[in-house]
């Protein structure tokens, strides 16, 4: 069995910008034609739609590697081996080991790499090494250009902050910002409430914090940039952003890597002393108001949790709120004994949070119970009997198809017989009615037989592929320490899970919280 992996390079994206066509579609066509020429059957195509330097940032690559490790694929087709890994030495080693230990071949339009062949293995590793060097050279050149544009006042970030839109005026070499007045009005309101407060009936003012501002904006039905509810963190992002005073910053949250317990962890700490330059755009907030907001913020005591960008939620992207259908997120509880919880990000939602570890445990228990029940749904039919039944059904389909074709010809002949005067109008109508009823009956019988064939094929696929795969993941799950791999294992068999909890726990009942989970597995068609 063969899979195709597609990923755009930087050169591909530049070519698309010049109007040279969609890259992934062109590459898929080339590799599919190559597979047909080599007599290979392509059973899956993985299209990486996100740009990421590391494996952790590329979900399709994670899924493919997991399947390669499980020995699912005999070969994987790519345009170039460099498309598989352009990250650091560790990522390249992970890819090389996955293909080597599983014996999976790598096929490109120019060469086939056999991981069990010593010379192919060396050539493959050398190709990855040269790819990494090329990436670092290109990246260094791009960063140099970005820094020069930043110092010249051009806006180089990907998206404009709330209150602005990113524009490129005719004749300009870079991008700048333009005020969106309907949003800028809200930005001024946020700074006003944070630094001065709202006017009370007695004439005094009551200053508001980020949570109070969030609740006030949501109560006024003012949508955020995404059209949803506001969060306290998005309020603080606005208050800390010097862009609103006409400045832009560089390396505000630069990625820092560290090794903890043998694992490379990434963090993005805030850098208050990052470089700032005057941008080529108009400010929304006076500097005096912005500086006052920073004084208030810095004088407020904060608690640092020491979090990083390393994935810490094995249920990431899987658990949705059963009440408002938002994707639930991991947070630390605000109790004395801080622990991770899973909560709905919608501040207006009534769904109650629960410990992440407890939800994860219940998910795995539920998967085990669901798998046992799912297996019982399939009739305990030996494969030999399925094979005999399949043969009889296919023979029946062939016979009914020939009969239907014969009836269709008879239907067509009725018109000729009417034109030749052999049939009068009454006879024509009667004869046509009988043939149409017979044709419809044959169609119904054909649909039934094809349905039975599909059922046997689904049952066979479930027995051979799906059920063993799920069972292997359920059995091996708790032996895996890597959170990212746990997450990838769950996403292999789960589409998503709905979570609902209506009552808060009493003191001391944290580990016995009552909630409901509704599973949506990625399953073959059921009987």
């Amino acid at each position: 069995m063969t899979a195709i992996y597609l990923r755009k390079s930087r050169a591909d994206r530049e070519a698309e910008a010049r109007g040279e066509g969609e890259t992934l579609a062109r590459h898929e066509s080339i590799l599919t034609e190559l597979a047909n020429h080599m007599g290979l059957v392509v059973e899956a195509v993985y299209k990486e739609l996100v740009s990421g330097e590391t494996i952790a940032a590329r979900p399709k690559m994670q899924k493919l590697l997991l399947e390669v490790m499980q020995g699912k694929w005999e070969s994987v087709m790519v345009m170039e081996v460099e498309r598989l890994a352009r990250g650091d030495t560790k990522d390249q080693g992970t890819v090389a080991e996955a293909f080597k230990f599983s014996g999976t071949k790598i096929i490109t339009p120019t060469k086939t790499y056999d991981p069990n062949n010593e010379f192919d293995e060396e050539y493959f590793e050398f190709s990855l090494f040269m790819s990494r060097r090329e990436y670092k050279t290109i990246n260094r050149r791009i960063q140099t250009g970005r820094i020069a544009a930043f110092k010249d006042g051009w806006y180089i970030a990907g998206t404009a902050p709330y209150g602005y839109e990113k524009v490129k005026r005719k004749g300009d070499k870079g991008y700048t910002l333009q005020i969106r007045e309907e949003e800028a009005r809200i930005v001024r309101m946020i700074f006003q409430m944070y630094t001065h407060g709202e006017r009370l009936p007695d004439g005094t003012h009551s200053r508001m914090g980020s949570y109070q501002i969030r609740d006030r904006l949501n109560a006024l039905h003012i949508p955020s940039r995404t059209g949803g509810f506001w969060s306290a963190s998005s309020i603080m992002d606005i208050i800390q952003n010097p862009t609103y005073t006409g400045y832009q910053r560089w390396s505000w949250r630069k990625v820092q890597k560290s090794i903890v317990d043998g694992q490379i962890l990434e963090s993005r700490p805030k850098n208050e002393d990052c470089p700032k330059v005057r941008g080529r755009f108009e400010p929304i907030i006076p500097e005096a108001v912005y500086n006052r907001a920073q004084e208030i913020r810095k004088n407020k005591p904060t608690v640092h949790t020491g979090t990083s960008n390393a994935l810490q939620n094995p249920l990431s992207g899987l658990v949705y709120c059963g009440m408002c259908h938002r994707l639930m997120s991991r947070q630390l509880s605000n109790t004395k004994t801080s622990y991770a919880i899973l909560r709905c990000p919608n501040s207006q939602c009534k769904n109650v949070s629960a410990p992440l570890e407890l939800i994860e445990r219940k998910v795995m228990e539920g998967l085990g119970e669901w798998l046992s029940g799912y297996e019982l749904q399939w009739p305990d039919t030996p494969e030999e009997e399925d094979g005999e039944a399949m043969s009889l059904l296919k023979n029946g389909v062939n016979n009914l198809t020939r009969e239907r074709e014969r009836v269709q010809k008879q239907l067509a002949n009725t018109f000729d017989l009417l034109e030749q005067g052999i049939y009068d109008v009454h006879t024509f109508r009667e004869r046509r009615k009988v043939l149409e009823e017979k044709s419809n009956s044959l169609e119904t019988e054909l649909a039934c037989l094809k349905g039975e064939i599909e059922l046997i094929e689904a049952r066979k696929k479930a027995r051979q592929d799906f059920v063993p795969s799920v069972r292997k993941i359920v059995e091996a799950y708790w032996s895996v320490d890597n959170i990212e791999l746990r997450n990838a294992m769950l996403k292999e068999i789960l589409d998503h899970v709905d979570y609902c909890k209506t009552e808060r726990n009493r003191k001391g009942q944290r580990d016995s919280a009552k909630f409901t989970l509704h599973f949506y597995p990625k399953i073959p068609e059921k009987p």
Side-chain angles (χ1 to χ4, degrees):
M1 297 194 296
T2 301
I4 290 177
Y5 179 73
L6 305 171
R7 182 172 73 88
K8 294 180 185 178
S9 66
R10 190 179 302 277
D12 293 332
R13 290 191 288 273
E14 292 173 355
E16 287 180 3
R18 295 193 299 268
E20 295 185 16
E22 212 287 317
T23 301
L24 296 189
R26 187 172 69 255
H27 287 179
E28 183 178 359
S29 176
I30 293 172
L31 294 177
T32 301
E33 184 177 345
L34 176 62
N36 293 336
H37 178 72
M38 298 177 69
L40 301 174
V41 178
V42 176
E43 298 202 4
V45 178
Y46 296 98
K47 298 182 180 180
E48 201 73 77
L49 301 180
V50 297
S51 177
E53 176 187 350
T54 63
I55 293 174
R58 289 154 48 190
K60 295 298 183 182
M61 188 63 196
Q62 292 177 31
K63 179 178 174 63
L64 177 63
L65 274 183
L66 182 63
E67 293 177 348
V68 167
M69 292 176 191
Q70 293 172 345
K72 181 175 180 179
W73 305 111
E74 296 173 0
S75 58
V76 172
M77 304 186 75
V78 289
M79 286 299 294
E80 304 156 333
V81 292
E82 292 85 352
R83 309 272 171 163
L84 291 173
R86 212 176 191 180
D88 56 21
T89 306
K90 182 179 179 181
D91 274 0
Q92 292 178 358
T94 299
V95 172
E97 286 183 357
F99 281 87
K100 179 180 179 180
F101 295 147
S102 65
T104 307
K105 293 182 179 179
I106 301 169
I107 300 174
T108 72
T110 57
K111 179 176 175 59
T112 296
Y113 299 84
D114 185 348
N116 294 317
N117 182 294
E118 181 181 351
F119 297 104
D120 282 357
E121 181 185 0
E122 289 181 0
Y123 193 82
F124 174 63
E125 292 175 352
F126 178 73
S127 297
L128 293 182
F129 169 75
M130 292 303 296
S131 171
R132 178 64 178 172
R133 285 196 60 186
E134 179 188 6
Y135 169 80
K136 292 181 76 67
T137 302
I138 293 173
N139 191 55
R140 185 164 52 247
R141 185 176 68 245
I142 291 173
Q143 292 305 314
T144 301
R146 282 169 57 83
I147 292 173
F150 163 76
K151 291 180 178 179
D152 204 22
W154 298 109
Y155 189 77
I156 61 173
T159 57
Y162 184 84
Y164 288 102
E165 62 178 323
K166 190 175 177 179
V167 296
K168 187 172 186 179
R169 296 188 180 92
K170 188 175 180 180
D172 288 343
K173 64 178 182 179
Y175 288 89
T176 185
L177 297 177
Q178 184 172 295
I179 294 176
R180 300 177 65 171
E181 191 54 43
E182 67 276 11
E183 292 182 353
R185 186 166 50 85
I186 307 304
V187 173
R188 298 186 189 101
M189 181 193 302
I190 291 172
F191 275 90
Q192 167 69 17
M193 289 189 288
Y194 191 77
T195 59
H196 195 60
E198 283 192 322
R199 185 182 178 86
L200 300 177
D202 62 2
T204 61
H205 287 78
S206 174
R207 199 186 66 79
M208 304 172 71
S210 58
Y211 284 89
Q212 293 168 304
I213 296 172
R214 173 202 68 184
D215 294 339
R216 181 56 53 87
L217 294 180
N218 289 335
L220 293 173
H221 300 286
I222 297 173
S224 64
R225 170 62 66 83
T226 60
F229 292 103
W230 288 87
S231 65
S233 60
S234 61
I235 299 295
M236 289 309 300
D237 285 342
I238 288 175
I239 289 171
Q240 295 180 74
N241 195 342
T243 303
Y244 297 111
T245 63
Y247 286 89
Q248 55 183 0
R249 56 195 174 187
W250 178 264
S251 297
W252 160 238
R253 303 200 70 169
K254 188 176 181 180
V255 175
Q256 293 186 1
K257 297 182 179 181
S258 60
I259 298 178
V260 178
D261 296 330
Q263 291 188 336
I264 299 177
L265 300 182
E266 293 185 354
S267 61
R268 295 173 62 92
K270 296 175 182 177
N271 180 14
E272 299 285 352
D273 299 322
C274 66
K276 299 181 182 68
V277 299
R278 174 68 71 177
R280 296 172 178 254
F281 51 87
E282 295 297 322
I284 294 176
I285 300 298
E287 282 192 54
V289 174
Y290 175 81
N291 291 336
R292 173 59 182 155
Q294 305 320 301
E295 289 176 9
I296 294 172
R297 180 179 62 82
K298 290 177 181 178
N299 290 332
K300 181 181 178 182
T302 57
V303 178
H304 297 282
T305 59
T307 58
S308 71
N309 276 355
L311 185 65
Q312 296 174 300
N313 179 11
L315 303 180
S316 175
L318 285 170
V319 181
Y320 285 79
C321 174
M323 295 184 182
C324 70
H325 309 296
R326 299 272 185 110
L327 183 63
M328 299 187 68
S329 59
R330 176 190 179 275
Q331 288 191 5
L332 292 179
S333 68
N334 55 5
T335 60
K336 291 182 180 179
T337 56
S338 184
Y339 56 91
I341 62 173
L342 211 58
R343 69 181 295 273
C344 178
N346 180 3
S347 61
Q348 309 298 309
C349 184
K350 303 300 182 184
N351 208 354
V352 181
S353 64
L356 172 60
E357 183 181 356
L358 181 59
I359 297 175
E360 181 186 14
R361 190 162 66 244
K362 294 298 183 183
V363 165
M364 295 312 300
E365 289 175 5
L367 271 176
E369 293 172 2
W370 172 84
L371 179 61
S372 299
Y374 179 73
E375 289 182 281
L376 291 175
Q377 293 180 15
W378 296 104
D380 190 18
T381 307
E383 290 190 18
E384 294 78 8
E385 291 186 20
D386 274 351
E388 293 176 4
M390 180 71 82
S391 178
L392 291 172
L393 288 169
K394 288 183 176 180
N395 187 55
V397 167
N398 292 334
N399 292 336
L400 287 176
T401 300
R402 286 193 293 269
E403 179 66 13
R404 184 187 58 180
E405 291 172 352
R406 188 180 65 81
V407 171
Q408 292 292 335
K409 288 180 181 179
Q410 288 179 318
L411 269 170
N413 289 337
T414 56
F415 288 96
D416 294 335
L417 295 172
L418 177 64
E419 291 176 357
Q420 295 171 16
I422 299 174
Y423 281 173
D424 57 23
V425 175
H426 176 74
T427 304
F428 167 77
R429 288 175 178 171
E430 289 293 325
R431 182 60 177 163
R432 183 167 181 79
K433 180 181 178 182
V434 170
L435 291 172
E436 285 178 343
E437 289 176 351
K438 188 172 184 179
S439 178
N440 292 335
S441 176
L442 290 170
E443 289 285 356
T444 302
E445 291 182 56
L446 266 174
C448 290
L449 292 183
K450 289 179 179 179
E452 291 185 48
I453 290 174
E454 291 174 359
L455 175 59
I456 292 177
E457 290 176 342
R459 185 160 64 225
K460 181 179 179 181
K461 184 174 180 61
R463 283 173 172 163
Q464 292 181 347
D465 302 328
F466 181 71
V467 170
S469 176
V470 175
R471 187 183 295 110
K472 182 182 294 186
I473 288 175
V474 170
E475 291 174 352
Y477 184 82
W478 294 113
S479 64
V480 175
D481 294 328
N482 187 290
I483 299 298
E484 290 180 358
L485 186 53
R486 277 192 185 181
N487 185 246
M489 292 166 75
L490 289 176
K491 286 181 177 178
E492 183 75 14
I493 56 178
L494 277 175
D495 181 76
H496 68 280
V497 177
D498 282 345
Y499 165 93
C500 190
K501 187 174 187 294
T502 56
E503 297 180 4
R504 296 189 177 277
N505 297 341
R506 293 182 179 180
K507 189 175 181 179
Q509 295 182 338
R510 186 187 81 184
D511 294 332
S512 58
K514 294 182 179 179
F515 51 82
T516 58
L517 298 175
H518 190 82
F519 293 85
Y520 293 87
K522 296 177 179 178
I523 58 176
E525 290 296 322
K526 293 183 179 181

